[in-house]
Amino acid sequence: MRAARLLLVAPLLLLGVACSDEDADDTVIQGATTTVAEGTTTTTTEAETTTTTAFEGATTPTSSPGTASGVALLTDVEVGDGVVTFTFREGTPGFDVQYVEPPITQDGSGEEVQVAGDAHLSVRMEPASGVDLSGEEFEETYTGPERIPGTGVIAEVVRTGDFEAVLSWVVGLDEERAYRVEADASMLRVYFSR
């Protein structure tokens, strides 16, 4: 009987040692919020709030208000294997994400824009811009390319507008894929199923 109790208590003692203050990791993610398509689940801890959704059925339009109190300023766009990341300062903008059919047109001018791929996902963000107009002179906050080559399922990512605080990019894909959108205090990410 005593041996059985020791077998039950030993894992608890090991857990206590593993969670001691001496071994604790000081890295804490704070202020994270996430917005995604239908069928979401939310997990909340003291340090972090995360919302996720399964990829199944996530091909319908997705939208959400942003966290920015003014115009969110784009500083970087990164394309990875199955993910596009938009980085902002001044908070994240609201977004509207949906598949669109060609012809794809430039905001403001209405000129046709060619985007590689067999499926095209429009990522429309507002209020957002790659230019800060709040000072006496404008400051270009996004100085990267307007056309970024893709990798994996992503053929390319193309800026199709930065007009009247509406920032638009189109993601060209090899085929229409389920997607998930996540946003936190400074980034908006679009993940694609593989």
Side-chain angles (χ1 to χ4, degrees):
M1 184 71 143
R2 185 174 179 185
R5 285 186 186 155
L6 283 175
L7 287 175
L8 289 173
V9 173
L12 295 174
L13 290 173
L14 289 173
L15 180 61
V17 169
C19 296
S20 72
D21 287 338
E22 294 174 1
D23 296 330
D25 185 359
D26 292 334
T27 305
V28 177
I29 299 171
Q30 295 187 17
T33 59
T34 304
T35 307
V36 290
E38 301 171 8
T40 62
T41 58
T42 302
T43 305
T44 304
T45 66
E46 189 173 311
E48 175 179 24
T49 300
T50 303
T51 305
T52 59
T53 188
F55 278 117
E56 292 84 4
T59 56
T60 56
T62 304
S63 61
S64 175
T67 63
S69 58
V71 176
L73 299 171
L74 182 69
T75 59
D76 193 29
V77 179
E78 293 181 27
V79 179
D81 189 15
V83 62
V84 179
T85 303
F86 300 94
T87 304
F88 294 90
R89 69 177 202 217
E90 314 297 333
T92 51
F95 60 84
D96 182 21
V97 179
Q98 63 183 323
Y99 279 102
V100 294
E101 293 293 326
I104 297 165
T105 58
Q106 184 81 28
D107 290 351
S109 72
E111 290 182 28
E112 190 170 336
V113 178
Q114 297 298 318
V115 180
D118 292 330
H120 302 95
L121 188 76
S122 168
V123 181
R124 183 178 188 271
M125 301 165 276
E126 72 174 301
S129 181
V131 179
D132 184 357
L133 302 174
S134 65
E136 289 183 25
E137 294 185 22
F138 75 90
E139 172 198 357
E140 204 171 356
T141 60
Y142 176 73
T143 57
E146 292 189 14
R147 188 174 293 271
I148 303 170
T151 180
V153 302
I154 300 171
E156 72 175 336
V157 181
V158 179
R159 181 167 59 181
T160 58
D162 189 346
F163 184 68
E164 295 183 348
V166 176
L167 187 59
S168 302
W169 288 75
V170 173
V171 181
L173 299 159
D174 61 344
E175 64 183 10
E176 190 169 300
R177 294 178 173 274
Y179 62 88
R180 180 177 74 234
V181 179
E182 295 183 357
D184 63 21
S186 64
M187 292 184 191
L188 183 99
R189 291 185 180 92
V190 184
Y191 295 93
F192 296 96
S193 65
R194 294 187 219 175

